Amino acid sequence: MSGGARLLLQRELRLAARRPLDAGLPVAFLLLAACLFPLGLGPEPEQLRRMAPGVLWVLALLASLLSLHSLYAADAQDGSLDQLLLPPHSAWRLAAVKALAHWLSHGLPLLLATPLLGLMYGMHSDSLGLLMLSLLLGTPTLSLLGNLAAALTLGLRNGALLNLLIVLPLAVPVLIFGSGAVGALEAGLPVDGHLSLLAALLIGALLALPAATAAALRIALI
């Protein structure tokens, strides 16, 4: 990582540290919603264990979308976004760093909170480890998708709702392969295909989405 990108990442993480509510809200949502699911599904251990991968993946997806509207909105309001996009700064670098900072401040805490919830749902250790691996591969893709959605809806009313409408359909493959990997393991089927597809989606997102986000930012500021 270049010196400029490192400084920009430090800036983003400092700003995130000044807004602990934004960073803590996704984790709080994940924990509370995961605790409420057994009340609706019933206390049967086998049923909870079987449904745990899908439930936790859906909750992780929804939790990661809670604060997307603030990714660029504050910078656009105080004028710093215009400064960050002026030469010699790169819009692509800004988009990539924003996505990385979002994952570090939102996706990584969700990932670290998942083992506790997996144990609460009675998941086996091998299934829980695979769930963690699938989240490690899938949540950065969600951050990149959310980063693009935040740039596309910058300056629009009801941008938070539009973010959901943009990201949720695009995130369906990540959700299917992420939860399906654990289901395949418990059914005694190979899981390499699911993990390979998650990795392929991540690589594709890394190659395409920062450039698309940079273009969306330039259009939004015209």
Side-chain angles (χ1 to χ4, degrees):
M1 182 181 292
S2 65
R6 189 180 301 109
L7 291 175
L8 184 57
L9 178 60
Q10 292 173 356
R11 172 187 180 271
E12 294 299 323
L13 294 178
R14 284 198 300 268
L15 291 176
R18 294 174 185 174
R19 300 191 298 266
L21 182 60
D22 287 348
L25 183 60
V27 177
F29 171 82
L30 178 69
L31 294 174
L32 291 175
C35 292
L36 290 175
F37 259 91
L39 298 179
L41 298 175
E44 292 295 330
E46 183 62 26
Q47 182 182 15
L48 291 177
R49 184 182 64 80
R50 187 174 64 254
M51 299 188 67
V55 168
L56 295 180
W57 250 106
V58 169
L59 294 180
L61 168 60
L62 296 177
S64 67
L65 303 180
L66 289 179
S67 59
L68 290 180
H69 64 282
S70 63
L71 269 176
Y72 296 101
D75 289 338
Q77 289 174 359
D78 63 17
S80 59
L81 183 58
D82 298 89
Q83 300 297 321
L84 291 171
L85 293 177
L86 289 175
H89 302 295
S90 166
W92 185 95
R93 183 179 66 183
L94 175 63
V97 170
K98 282 278 190 179
L100 176 58
H102 179 268
W103 185 80
L104 290 175
S105 59
H106 295 78
L108 184 58
L110 292 176
L111 182 65
L112 296 178
T114 301
L116 175 63
L117 300 177
L119 293 175
M120 183 183 74
Y121 276 73
M123 293 184 65
H124 299 148
S125 58
D126 53 349
S127 298
L128 182 56
L130 183 59
L131 176 64
M132 294 285 292
L133 179 58
S134 68
L135 286 170
L136 181 62
L137 291 172
T139 49
T141 305
L142 300 181
S143 292
L144 288 162
L145 288 170
N147 192 40
L148 174 61
L152 289 172
T153 59
L154 180 62
L156 300 180
R157 291 185 177 181
N158 301 319
L161 177 59
L162 291 175
N163 287 335
L164 294 176
L165 296 178
I166 293 172
V167 175
L168 286 178
L170 298 175
V172 168
V174 180
L175 178 64
I176 291 174
F177 297 134
S179 59
V182 183
L185 176 66
E186 295 184 347
L189 300 174
V191 301
D192 294 345
H194 294 82
L195 296 179
S196 297
L197 288 169
L198 281 175
L201 289 172
L202 176 57
I203 293 172
L206 287 171
L207 293 175
L209 295 185
T213 304
L217 287 174
R218 296 190 189 97
I219 294 172
L221 295 179
I222 292 178

